[in-house]
Amino acid sequence: MGMFKKTADSVPITSQISITSKNRSLWNYILRKRYLYLMLIPASIYFLIFNYAPMYGILIAFKDFSFKKGIWGSDWIGLENFRYMFQLDNFYSVFTNSILLSLLRILFTFPIPILLALLLNDIKSSKYQKVMQTLFYLPHFVSWVVIGGILINFLSPVSGIINILIQSFGGEPIFFLAEDKYFKPIVILTSIWKDSGWGTIIYLAAITGISSDLYEAARIDGANKLKCLRYITLPCIKSTVVIMLILRLGSIMNNGFEQIFILQNSKNLGVSEVFETYTYRLGLLGGRYSFATTVGLFTSVIGIIFLLASNKIAGKMGEEGIW
């Protein structure tokens, strides 16, 4: 039986040589790109300290957390927090609000940056193009607190300019932020106004990277602008669009705390309560940190499921996805 026993000496010499050559080629590649790897060190340290190190805090979701006892000293209660979360009466309404609002955002806000990038790319004057880019980007740098304050004043049923115009045409004033049917359109429209210009940066960069030879060859063949757009521009940026969509689906449970919280009030709570504000009210204001961590862990798992599913679908469609 000893003749069938495998030892380290029985590994073929050719395999050992190939492994050694691969290791050498890897180190040679790292040495050639050493400056790029050095540039990665600060970003790696940042993510290790602020993103990966705090992940041990998810243990709070499985414990009856107490500041006095600390994370490790708190009593272990297993899945009790999750059972409590699923038994809450308003949990499923919050879950529905979060998913529905996020899907509506994707449906209406995701295509706008692509359209803006296509329009900006078609502007011939470089000065005018830069001016328009700046105008589109500026709202991104305005705080949601400022935007929310302006919006609340604009939509005020007493002194808001919108209701003044409605009354000038003989209509009755509307308390927009107190009626459920207006909340989601307001959130989506403000999201488009604030963030669409910033999102055009990625798509505009992808369009700029398309070789001009493709357009020249198409024009020689008699293609007009629409055909160039259909057969050159859109196919060339399709992979970028797919990656951005996958990443957006991965954060489907994130609706943005600042925007929702500022526009939220007791009248529209039935449609405006999402997981960010839900965690803030029950978990942080109520001092129930275990419950807040449980909700956060649940939303993260849902986001990972959407991310993996969308990446798998992209792979079946012939796209590379994000890995």
Side-chain angles (χ1 to χ4, degrees), residues 147-193:
I147 296 174
I150 295 172
L151 192 63
I152 290 172
N153 287 326
F154 269 41
L155 299 178
S156 171
V158 178
S159 59
I161 187 172
I162 304 298
N163 276 301
I164 290 175
L165 290 174
I166 292 175
Q167 289 177 342
S168 65
F169 287 99
E172 294 294 328
I174 302 171
F175 195 174
F176 290 97
L177 293 176
E179 297 190 27
D180 294 350
K181 62 181 179 180
Y182 293 116
F183 182 79
K184 289 184 176 66
I186 290 172
V187 169
I188 292 170
L189 289 174
T190 51
S191 298
I192 291 173
W193 178 79

Side-chain angles (χ1 to χ4, degrees), residues 207 209-224 227-229 231-233 235-237:
I207 294 172
I210 300 173
S211 175
S212 58
D213 295 338
L214 296 174
Y215 292 104
E216 292 177 3
R219 292 190 190 99
I220 292 172
D221 290 338
N224 55 24
K227 288 186 177 180
C228 289
L229 175 66
Y231 295 107
I232 298 177
T233 307
C236 287
I237 67 171

Side-chain angles (χ1 to χ4, degrees), residues 68-127:
K68 183 178 180 180
K69 297 180 180 179
I71 295 178
W72 297 108
S74 298
D75 298 330
W76 181 272
I77 58 175
L79 299 177
E80 191 61 35
N81 286 321
F82 292 91
R83 295 191 187 97
Y84 173 76
M85 179 181 68
F86 289 123
Q87 290 174 358
L88 289 174
D89 295 334
N90 58 347
F91 170 78
Y92 293 99
S93 65
V94 174
F95 180 79
T96 303
N97 290 339
S98 300
I99 291 288
L100 182 59
L101 186 57
S102 190
L103 289 176
L104 289 173
R105 282 176 185 270
I106 295 174
L107 179 63
F108 291 102
T109 65
F110 186 79
I112 301 298
I114 304 172
L115 179 61
L116 288 177
L118 295 173
L119 294 174
L120 287 172
N121 183 67
D122 203 42
I123 297 175
K124 302 302 180 185
S125 174
S126 59
K127 291 183 178 179

